[in-house]
Amino acid sequence: MTVIRAYAAAKLNLYLHVLGRREDGYHLLDSLVAFASAHDRVEVESTPYFSLQLHGPNSLPLLMEDTDSNLVTKAVKRLADALGRKPEVTVKLTKNLPLASGIGGGSADAAAALRALCALWDVPLDHPAMVELAARLGADVPVCLGSRTSYFGGTGTELSPAPDLPEDCWVVLVNPGVSMPTPAVFEARQGPFSSPARFTTSFTDVRELATLLKDGRRNDLAAAAERLSPVIPQVLAALDSTTGCLLSRMSGSGATCFGLYVDFDHAVAAAELIAGIRPGWWVQPATLLNDLSGLEVLEGTLLDWP
């Protein structure tokens, strides 16, 4: 029996600018999106029925919900419907990433399920049904479907190639155990809109990347998220206090923050320090990879982290 495994990588907004708001209420964005080796895992296999099995340290909230409300279930059933077939698969989702945390989460899981199903059902990833379905499932699903460093524009459906990130680009992800509803953060945002801030050059090393990210680039949702959850500044301060941290920033609508580090050793040391001081926080060292779209691309490269 064939089992297809796909990795749902954590999505990081290295910067996130809000450019405006449409009449229908949706915001227009400009963001540099990268993907980290921290991940959930999705496995699919053919069965005579549909089933979603939930595992992993952050699966409990999902186990308490109706299966039909899970974005993975919606992705599977809507793709099957679009292809004129029955959703006769069992999906095993191992949930390692925290929920509603600004790093893709459910969108990455749905995108991984779609990639795995395409491999199982012999459907090309650029099939028209896939493109339309990804956009309807959620703003982050199209970029997570590609899982490669990209510029994210419009409401999330306008994707453009971005320069490759430097090799050995290490981060520490920290979530203080707080879920942040994205609509509430956008509604709480105040102040003027920003301009696009895309790079015109590539990055020679991680220090140059950090310098460019600090130069007029930020997360426009950070101030609103900090008002809703005052623990976020504590997370950023914890990252800034560690040796080798070049930049700290909140990702997406929060509350997960990341620190960009000079190398692997400093990232791992920082993660161990923060986890020791704040045992209730989710802390994960990871590397940024430019293209994680292959189903097995992460095999043998993932960090073993409890």
Side-chain angles (χ1 to χ4, degrees), residues 93-113:
L93 170 61
T94 302
K95 191 67 187 170
N96 301 311
L97 304 177
L99 279 68
S101 59
I103 53 175
S107 295
D109 297 339

Side-chain angles (χ1 to χ4, degrees), residues 5 101 126 142 198 231 259 264:
R5 175 181 293 177
S101 59
D126 59 355
R198 299 186 178 188
V231 71
F264 165 82

Side-chain angles (χ1 to χ4, degrees), residues 193-273:
F193 294 115
S194 296
S195 300
R198 299 186 178 188
F199 299 107
T200 57
T201 60
S202 58
F203 324 107
T204 58
D205 58 34
V206 67
R207 293 181 185 274
E208 182 181 7
L209 173 61
T211 298
L212 291 171
L213 288 173
K214 291 178 181 178
D215 184 16
R217 297 173 177 89
R218 60 200 163 272
N219 185 335
D220 283 346
L221 299 179
E226 289 174 9
R227 288 195 298 272
L228 295 174
S229 181
V231 71
I232 293 175
Q234 298 178 32
V235 176
L236 294 170
L239 289 164
D240 285 331
S241 70
T242 58
T243 304
C245 183
L246 300 171
L247 167 78
S248 68
R249 184 159 290 173
M250 188 185 82
S251 179
S253 57
T256 302
C257 300
F258 65 91
L260 185 62
Y261 283 82
V262 293
D263 55 32
F264 165 82
D265 290 337
H266 283 90
V268 171
E272 292 176 347
L273 177 62

Side-chain angles (χ1 to χ4, degrees), residues 11-15 31-35 143 148-152 162 165:
K11 176 221 66 168
L12 297 183
N13 299 94
L14 299 186
Y15 75 81
S31 180
L32 176 60
V33 175
F35 291 88
V143 72
R148 59 177 58 90
T149 306
S150 304
Y151 287 119
F152 176 113
L165 300 176

Side-chain angles (χ1 to χ4, degrees), residues 81-103:
D81 184 63
L83 297 175
R85 62 184 301 159
K86 295 181 179 179
E88 295 175 332
V89 291
T90 289
V91 182
K92 178 181 177 181
L93 170 61
T94 302
K95 191 67 187 170
N96 301 311
L97 304 177
L99 279 68
S101 59
I103 53 175

